[in-house]
Amino acid sequence: MNGGLIKGWCPGAHRPMAAEDGLILRIRPPGGRLSSAQARGLADLARAHGQGTLSLTTRANVQMRGIAPADHAAILARLAALGLLDADAAAEQARNIAVTPFWRAGDGTLELATALADGLANLCGLPAKFGFMVDTGPAPVLGGTSADIRFERATDGTLLLRPDGATQGQPVQTAEAVARALALAGWFIASGGVKDGRGRMRTHLATGHTPPPGLAGTTPSAAALPEPLPGPCAAGVLAAFAFGELQAETLDALARLSGEIRLTPWRMLLLPGLATLPPLPGLIADPASPLPRVFACTGAPGCGQALGETRAWAAGLASHLPPGMCVHVSGCAKGCAHPGPADVTLTATTAGFSLIRNGAVSAAPEMEGLDPESLLRHPERIFGIC
Ligand code: SF4
């Protein structure tokens, strides 16, 4: 197997994560886009070496699981042939960039994301989870997406560089944008933002660190739009999947319909330019479906760290979910499926489930020791309905 094998928070293609059912590989498509050939290639790999499914992540990446260690080298070779593999594990980790899927040709988003990826290849010392974001399409949409350094626009269209946690961004020219972002990342490292290999920009600013003039913000960003729903949108059609799990056959079929597929941080795929989609296994294109508002990690038995089952309970709760609410069922306190807050978070513990309202898994629970079967019989206990 190429690269090192790790058990940790951020699997990659070079460095997979070991799970109970085999290796998990995370693929980071450059610019958050897949050509038709790349998408069909991934579908082939999932069928040949994985479990026949792919997972969409909240950083607009794709995961395959259930991989035999002996197959890893062959998968890397195929990913390289598809143009979906970085030079090495360090380059793969550094290229942690979320891109708005709604970019338009000529708006500079893709060019900026590409230049940023090139620049990050030479930057060392950032934590594994430190991320960048390019939200410079026709309207900002990534307000709920985790990132430490953000490219956004002011209401007049001015390009802004904003450290996460700051209320304002710094206007930058396109030609200097990447250099300024790298300077901001360099300041984060030099000013002590990294401790024991971890650290986030928001926490660093909140503990009294202020970027120097030229990197500190002076201009507010335009307000981000709410998370979109599945179905037709101005840029095409958004296709959702329960728990972000996509069958290889469905990806293959979508790739035959569109020359390009864009990944989103909402566990949906954008099919640019299409107005409708045919019925396909697992595909959700109904904006009223509650399933895109239900988050659940693999849980037991697939994840060795899980303290309980997740997806069966989450699917059972979906039909009781009031409009506009979201629920997160997590197999442990890591909260892999939904790092941010949810209206209701249910976390498996050694003593039943904990319930958190309007918070992430790290928030203080309102109730503990809950039995999921009882919650399914009485969903009003968690959703406040009769
Ligand atoms: S949150 Fe879920 S997938 Fe992540 S480590 Fe815990 S049980 Fe495993």
Side-chain angles (χ1 to χ4, degrees):
M1 184 173 63
N2 295 348
L5 177 63
I6 60 169
K7 287 191 87 158
W9 284 80
C10 294
H14 284 287
R15 279 188 189 149
M17 178 187 287
E20 299 302 296
D21 51 2
L23 302 181
I24 300 173
L25 268 68
R26 182 176 297 171
I27 298 119
R28 294 180 171 175
R33 26 180 347 215
L34 292 169
S35 68
S36 178
Q38 288 172 327
R40 294 187 64 195
L42 285 182
D44 284 346
L45 283 173
R47 279 186 292 236
H49 300 285
Q51 298 176 334
T53 60
L54 296 122
S55 306
L56 305 176
T57 79
T58 53
R59 296 246 355 129
N61 296 314
V62 186
Q63 284 186 179
M64 279 188 289
R65 66 180 308 143
I67 306 293
D71 291 354
H72 187 213
I75 292 174
L76 290 185
R78 182 85 173 108
L79 290 174
L82 289 168
L84 292 172
L85 188 69
D86 291 281
D88 53 38
E92 179 177 66
Q93 177 181 302
R95 195 174 53 79
N96 187 7
I97 306 169
V99 182
T100 172
F102 298 134
W103 59 269
R104 293 176 180 164
D107 71 7
T109 299
L110 202 56
E111 293 79 3
L112 181 53
T114 303
L116 181 58
D118 292 344
L120 288 173
N122 301 313
L123 186 68
C124 300
L126 286 174
K129 294 179 79 68
F130 195 94
F132 294 75
M133 190 187 75
V134 185
D135 192 11
T136 54
V141 290
L142 300 182
T145 301
S146 170
D148 295 273
I149 293 181
R150 298 169 176 264
F151 281 114
E152 299 167 339
R153 292 197 189 277
T155 51
D156 66 358
T158 300
L159 182 62
L160 299 177
L161 173 67
R162 182 169 70 87
D164 189 51
T167 56
Q168 298 188 320
Q170 172 74 24
V172 291
Q173 299 295 319
T174 301
E176 61 169 6
V178 170
R180 297 281 286 279
L182 297 181
L184 186 56
W187 166 80
F188 174 79
I189 297 169
S191 59
V194 187
K195 293 183 179 64
D196 299 326
R198 298 182 180 219
R200 301 305 300 258
M201 181 68 83
R202 176 176 287 273
T203 306
H204 196 48
L205 297 194
T207 50
H209 299 87
T210 305
L215 295 175
T218 58
T219 307
S221 303
L225 299 178
E227 194 169 303
L229 299 171
C233 63
V237 186
L238 284 162
F241 308 89
F243 310 126
E245 294 289 332
L246 167 62
Q247 295 182 31
E249 284 74 14
T250 297
L251 179 60
D252 190 273
L254 291 173
R256 293 171 191 269
L257 292 171
S258 175
E260 178 188 8
I261 295 176
R262 297 185 191 172
L263 296 140
T264 81
W266 314 299
R267 303 178 303 163
M268 293 193 279
L269 297 176
L270 172 65
L271 286 299
L274 297 188
T276 59
L277 292 174
L280 291 168
L283 187 148
I284 302 166
D286 176 5
S289 171
L291 282 169
R293 294 181 279 114
V294 179
F295 301 84
C297 67
T298 303
C303 176
Q305 298 175 63
L307 299 172
E309 288 186 47
T310 52
R311 289 187 171 167
W313 303 125
L317 289 170
S319 59
H320 304 287
L321 191 61
M325 284 185 75
C326 68
V327 62
H328 175 197
V329 182
S330 185
C332 78
K334 278 192 175 179
C336 296
H338 190 67
D343 294 300
V344 173
T345 299
L346 291 162
T347 308
T349 73
T350 52
F353 277 77
S354 297
L355 185 148
I356 295 158
R357 290 194 196 280
N358 304 313
V361 284
S362 55
E366 181 179 301
M367 291 188 263
E368 294 179 289
L370 298 170
D371 165 25
E373 288 189 29
S374 159
L375 292 176
L376 276 180
R377 284 195 300 273
H378 301 285
E380 71 277 5
R381 286 186 73 192
I382 44 180
F383 297 137
I385 55 176
C386 300

